[in-house]
Amino acid sequence: MATIQLQVVSPERLVCDKEIAMLIVRSTGGELGILPRHAPLVTGLIPHAMRIKLDGQEEQLMAVAGGLMEVTPKKITVLVSAAEEPEQIDVNRAQAAYARAKQRIEAFKQAPTQHEDIDIDRAEAALARAKARLIATRTSFN
Ligand code: ATP
């Protein structure tokens, strides 16, 4: 089976370095599936749960915050501000971050002029990171 090397790097550590069969990511331009021998590419990544296929069947999830992905025919480098494998995620913390961001966004939408202190872009980004972590741990939210 053909494989491609996946390296995921955060400011703190090398989160993952392994041979995989396929990576499915959400880029700034939409969803992308990366197979071995993919054409060279550099793109932005938005916060989401990446899908890593190790072989025909098994699929692993990994939460990533925003960043960049570089693809060459033999290697994928994902350079993100944070990344966690499901077992590294503190679900309670992600749920708290989700609730906090949701509450800020709702308050801002209800009365924008009364909430000029709320940075809506920051709240939306925090919500997206929390959602990525909850999806990666298969935790339901709404
Ligand atoms: P919080 O508001 O809970 O800090 P955040 O989305 O603002 O969440 P980030 O700035 O994306 O957090 O990440 C800061 C650091 O904390 C990174 O090293 C990241 O891997 C880690 N981290 C954030 N949330 C979690 C979590 N729920 N479980 C494990 N590690 C986490």
Side-chain angles (χ1 to χ4, degrees):
M1 183 193 63
T3 61
I4 186 165
Q5 184 188 1
L6 171 66
Q7 270 197 357
V8 180
V9 184
S10 80
E12 286 148 13
R13 62 200 175 96
L14 177 63
V15 183
C16 141
D17 185 358
K18 60 187 170 195
E19 291 291 324
I20 65 163
M22 185 180 188
L23 177 70
I24 300 160
V25 296
R26 206 175 304 156
S27 79
T28 47
E31 191 168 84
L32 288 176
I34 311 294
L35 290 161
R37 295 187 289 277
H38 195 283
L41 166 80
V42 174
T43 186
L45 294 182
I46 59 178
H48 71 292
M50 301 196 304
R51 291 160 57 199
I52 301 167
K53 287 187 189 278
L54 297 179
D55 54 40
Q57 323 220 319
E58 206 187 333
E59 184 173 292
Q60 295 178 349
L61 297 173
M62 182 183 292
V64 290
L68 288 173
M69 175 177 72
E70 180 191 35
V71 180
T72 66
K74 289 184 176 170
K75 184 175 175 185
I76 306 167
T77 308
V78 170
L79 188 61
V80 280
S81 58
E84 304 95 31
E85 286 174 324
E87 54 277 13
Q88 297 162 337
I89 294 172
D90 176 341
V91 172
N92 289 333
R93 178 174 166 181
Q95 283 173 324
Y98 179 86
R100 227 170 27 243
K102 260 252 129 94
Q103 190 265 324
R104 285 196 179 111
I105 292 164
E106 285 308 314
F108 185 83
K109 278 188 186 157
Q110 300 274 319
T113 50
Q114 283 170 38
H115 293 287
E116 281 167 354
D117 54 320
I118 293 178
D119 181 338
I120 193 71
D121 292 340
R122 187 173 160 192
E124 298 276 12
L127 185 71
R129 292 193 300 276
K131 272 188 188 174
R133 291 177 175 121
L134 294 173
I135 290 168
T137 50
R138 301 180 196 276
T139 308
S140 59
F141 60 88
N142 53 42

